[in-house]
Amino acid sequence: MSVFIKLVENRPPKEYAKARTPDISYDDAVEGNSEISYQYDVLPSGALRILRVTRGQEAVIHSVYAPGLWFRVEGLCRGTTE
C-alpha cells in the first residue's frame, strides 16, 4: 500500500499568491523481480518516518518528517516504535 502525507500549510501571507508545495505520495512499485512498498510509523517525538520495504529484507528508513511539517498520513502503519 502506498503512503500519502498531507503537509501543513505554514506560509506567510505573501506566499499564498504563489503555487503551494504539493503533498507527498510514496507509491508502491516493482523494480526487477522485487516488490517495493512503503509503510510509516510515528516516533515518540511526533516525527513521521517513511520506511521502504522489500519482500524478504529488512525495512529501510527512506525519509523522516518533523512533527510540525505533516498534518495527516494515510497508508500502512508499521506499528509503534515505543
Side-chain angles (χ1 to χ4, degrees), residues 31-82:
E31 289 182 7
N33 294 330
S34 301
E35 292 181 23
I36 297 168
S37 63
Y38 291 92
Q39 301 174 4
Y40 72 91
D41 58 16
V42 179
L43 302 176
S45 66
L48 174 66
R49 188 166 63 170
I50 304 300
L51 305 165
R52 186 175 193 254
V53 181
T54 305
R55 184 172 289 178
Q57 298 180 12
E58 290 189 35
V60 175
I61 298 171
H62 185 73
S63 303
V64 178
Y65 295 91
L69 184 62
W70 63 281
F71 173 68
R72 184 180 74 228
V73 62
E74 297 173 6
L76 182 61
C77 180
R78 181 120 176 137
T80 182
T81 59
E82 294 182 37

